[in-house]
Amino acid sequence: METGSPHDTGTADDAQGTPAPAPAVVPAPDDGAEPVWRALPPGLLTMRRLLLVVWLGLLTLATALVPGLLVGPAWGAFAVLPLALLLWGWVMLERNWRSWRYAERADDLLISRGVLWHEETVVPYGRMQLVEVTSGPVERHFGLASVQLHTAAAATDATIPGLDPAEAERLRDRLTELGEARSAGL
């Protein structure tokens, strides 16, 4: 069920083109109105781009230096390939980041993602068995956390990456409360 544009994330860009933080959660009414979509914070894009630059930057250097020193300077031109991949990845990471969004409805949680292959996951609150908040060392450095939802069917497990830790904990607590209220899962 398509419920809106992937670019309609509920955030506004400032004059410099930097995305503004996601707005406060407004619960969607139970009257069938469109859900309020929330975008992922810009820190996730920053983290992913930094990782891209580090790994492909090192690959670019290695591709330039190793053949350039061992075979000849003309072979160092192969460094253009990982550099081109870095530039392409830079753009693709933003497109992917913009495609992620989630919305809380009265009976379920919607997660929408994907640029070429659009996926929309609907997780009923009553089917949730476990809600986890995780944060690895790189995520913690950037002040991010991920929420992972587990259901009885492995195919419907869902993750919302790169949330602010306070928002991740709020979402976990709300989903746990709603899941217990529906008494079919948690």
Side-chain angles (χ1 to χ4, degrees):
M1 167 171 101
E2 183 65 31
T3 57
S5 166
H7 302 292
D8 182 25
T9 58
T11 60
D13 292 347
D14 63 13
Q16 298 167 339
T18 305
V25 172
V26 179
D30 210 9
D31 60 2
E34 286 291 316
V36 177
W37 290 100
R38 299 208 50 189
L40 297 182
L44 179 65
L45 178 62
T46 303
M47 178 190 77
R48 288 179 174 175
R49 281 183 167 171
L50 180 64
L51 290 172
L52 177 77
V53 167
V54 166
W55 289 110
L56 284 179
L58 290 173
L59 182 63
T60 301
L61 270 170
T63 306
L65 292 177
V66 172
L69 295 174
L70 295 178
V71 182
W75 288 91
F78 278 110
V80 172
L81 297 174
L83 186 60
L85 186 60
L86 188 145
L87 295 174
W88 179 77
W90 187 273
V91 173
M92 290 299 109
L93 282 174
E94 183 171 356
R95 289 186 66 197
N96 179 269
W97 170 75
R98 286 189 185 279
S99 75
W100 276 85
R101 59 195 183 136
Y102 66 98
E104 299 172 58
R105 294 195 305 187
D107 295 321
D108 50 32
L109 177 73
L110 302 174
I111 302 171
S112 178
R113 64 195 170 280
V115 178
L116 291 177
W117 286 275
H118 182 78
E119 276 185 56
E120 190 166 301
T121 305
V122 179
V123 184
Y125 298 134
R127 298 290 183 180
M128 288 185 219
Q129 293 184 332
L130 176 67
V131 181
E132 289 182 303
V133 174
T134 58
S135 185
V138 177
E139 286 179 310
R140 279 194 307 273
H141 178 75
F142 283 91
L144 301 171
S146 296
V147 174
Q148 185 167 10
L149 312 165
H150 298 276
T151 63
T156 58
D157 288 358
T159 302
I160 304 173
L163 295 174
D164 178 63
E167 170 63 10
E169 290 175 12
R170 183 207 63 82
L171 189 58
R172 178 201 58 210
D173 294 342
R174 176 167 160 71
L175 295 175
T176 302
E177 178 183 313
L178 290 167
E180 287 173 352
R182 304 299 192 275
S183 71
L186 298 169

